[in-house]
Amino acid sequence: MKNKVSIIGAGMTGSTTAHWLAERELADLVLVDVVEGMPQGKALDLQQALPVIGKDVTIVGTNDYEATAGSDVVVITAGLPRKPGMSRDDLLTANAAIVRKATEETIRLSPDAIYVVLTNPLDVMAYLTQKLSKLPPARVVGQAGILDSARMRAFVALELGVSVENIHCYVLGNHGDEMVPLTRHSNVAGTPLRELLSADRLEAIVNRTRKGGGEIVNLLKTGSAYYAPAIAVTQMVDAILKDKHLIITASAFMNGEYGLNDMYFGVPVQLGRQGVEKIIEYKLDESEEAMLRKSAEAVRQTTAALRNLVTF
Ligand code: TXD
């Protein structure tokens, strides 16, 4: 039997995720959105693209949740994106209501799924989904780390003229401007990044990575990035469905790891069919530790603001 993945929110990230997933023939897909006709139209268009590339999956677009029943993975992208000048946290109130609805509707029909959350503010929306669904925390994970690490990898590749395949970067922390790019752990085919780039160039790359989402929001003006976020989700869904035990960075529930509790936060995780199988704790030096605390404080504050909005 084929796997089934439901994507809630058929906007830019949702429909692009469907595109990448269909291209990889990973699962039958259901696209859900509140806008009438839009998910149906996009699903039909994508379905009609597949004969050209010889991929056999079905794609259903719908405005109600019944078709999502029995999903193996549910991806939540529903919500507003940023506009220029907004921080991800500015989306909290509006998106908490949307993610609440998406979680309550899907959990009833797909209680055995793994939930991958994308909606911003990411770490806090993943927390909300876990609390409302009452799923074991391992079964709810947020996408941020693959994207933030990929941004850093892309900038390093452009700078050094080396294949992206050789570049390994690790970005921890919140999905926000206080994220923690770990330059000490990042390397190009085993050579530490710090040996290949001057301190100035490395700092410039770190700063551009931190503001990578905002750079695109300012250019697009009407929405935020979607190609890179969508392929990042696709890699997570691939790891889950194929039970790959893939180590990536993602937003996971903290239960004492890195000294953090009762919040979602970007850390290295091992991802497989059961969701987050393991959280990996890097040994951090003093300055990394300080950046991590600052980043965690930002999430702690937004999580506290969420608790004032929603009772679990
Ligand atoms: O890496 C990451 N985590 C992120 C997150 C990278 C990129 C985008 N990120 C966030 O994802 C972004 O800040 C937003 O909060 C979400 C969705 O971004 P997207 O770019 O896909 O926004 P769109 O194109 O506006 O699509 C959102 C869709 C839109 O079609 C709405 O009609 C729909 O969500 N929507 C809903 N669908 C279902 N159910 C409800 N209630 C609903 N409300 C809105």
Side-chain angles (χ1 to χ4, degrees), residues 8-14 32-35 38 65 77-82 91 95 98 101 118-120 122 143-144 147 175 224-225 229:
I8 317 306
M12 298 313 289
T13 54
V32 182
D33 204 284
V34 283
V35 179
M38 185 268 268
Y65 282 84
T77 79
L80 306 181
R82 285 194 280 170
L91 301 167
N95 284 353
I98 294 171
K101 167 92 175 146
L118 198 75
T119 307
N120 275 321
L122 185 268
Q143 188 305 117
L147 170 67
H175 186 50
S224 50

Side-chain angles (χ1 to χ4, degrees), residues 1-8 21 25-32 57-60 62 64-75 109-110 112-115 237 240-241 273:
M1 206 172 76
K2 276 204 193 120
N3 286 306
K4 178 171 175 178
V5 174
S6 292
I7 302 170
I8 317 306
L21 287 171
E25 215 173 22
L26 272 176
D28 287 333
L29 304 174
V30 180
L31 272 172
V32 182
V57 294
T58 59
I59 305 157
V60 171
T62 174
D64 80 75
Y65 282 84
E66 296 309 312
T68 66
S71 296
D72 297 284
V73 178
V74 172
V75 177
L109 297 159
S110 299
D112 298 323
I114 305 294
Y115 284 68
V237 173
I240 293 165
L241 294 178
R273 191 63 190 83

